[in-house]
Amino acid sequence: MERCRIALAEKGLPYEPLEQDLSNKGELLLRANPVHGKVPVLLHGGRPICESLVILHYLDEAFPEVAPAQLPSDPRARVHARFWADFADRKVFECGTRLWKLKDGEARARGEMVEALRALDAELGDKPYLAGEAFGFADLAVVE
Ligand SMILES: N[C@@H](CCC(=O)N[C@@H](CS)C(=O)NCC(=O)O)C(=O)O
């Protein structure tokens, strides 16, 4: 998922991408993410961190000294960012996956996607970012 690549790039953290064949999952992926067997997985110091939003949190917490932080410092702005990140994850990504995979669910998923994008658009309004003064957690979540 691009979210994690962008977060790593934003912090300027070097990493080695290991491409995975999802139609024939390798042992490394299945060992690193036995619960979901999905990418992305971040291997840091030999330990796997799974789920893209969890990886984003980890990067901020493991490298707090490396700017920029994804979450604003004000607690109210933080919950706002978390709310919209969660919204993007549930509505945009989930719906996008359905649109991609399911022919039957297509018409409904398309309507839901338009609704979700309208909500994001309304929230964004004239602001440059979804939450706070800088590109951050909620914006990353929309990228998927
Ligand atoms: N909630 C997960 C979703 C990850 C996901 O759906 N990854 C897809 C690729 S974009 C995948 O690995 N699919 C393989 C599968 O479902 O078996 C996250 O945010 O990390």
Side-chain angles (χ1 to χ4, degrees):
M1 282 221 197
E2 297 310 311
R3 290 170 179 167
C4 300
R5 290 184 204 265
I6 295 172
L8 285 159
E10 282 273 303
K11 280 191 181 280
L13 296 169
Y15 66 97
E16 181 193 350
L18 298 171
E19 297 304 330
Q20 297 298 306
D21 176 359
L22 294 176
S23 61
N24 180 23
K25 296 177 186 175
E27 199 203 319
L28 177 63
L29 175 59
L30 295 175
R31 227 181 328 119
N33 190 354
V35 176
H36 298 301
K38 292 186 177 190
V39 294
V41 175
L42 176 71
L43 294 172
H44 186 211
R47 295 189 149 213
I49 298 118
C50 305
E51 283 293 311
S52 60
L53 294 185
V54 175
I55 294 172
L56 295 187
H57 280 308
Y58 177 76
L59 291 174
D60 247 10
E61 287 173 4
F63 303 95
E65 71 288 357
V66 187
Q70 293 162 25
L71 285 167
S73 53
D74 173 61
R76 278 172 182 269
R78 285 167 94 86
V79 290
H80 191 69
R82 288 197 172 108
F83 175 87
W84 285 105
D86 181 66
F87 177 89
D89 201 48
R90 286 169 196 258
K91 299 284 183 180
V92 182
F93 178 66
E94 200 185 289
C95 196
T97 306
R98 254 193 298 151
L99 267 176
W100 187 254
K101 284 186 185 165
L102 302 176
K103 286 233 179 314
D104 294 346
E106 208 171 293
R108 227 183 85 204
R110 198 177 296 216
E112 284 174 29
M113 176 65 99
V114 168
E115 213 176 287
L117 293 176
R118 283 215 177 101
L120 280 172
D121 202 40
E123 177 56 29
L124 192 57
D126 292 332
K127 298 180 295 183
Y129 307 107
L130 270 172
E133 303 297 308
F135 180 83
F137 188 59
D139 309 287
L140 282 165
V142 176
V143 177
E144 294 184 352

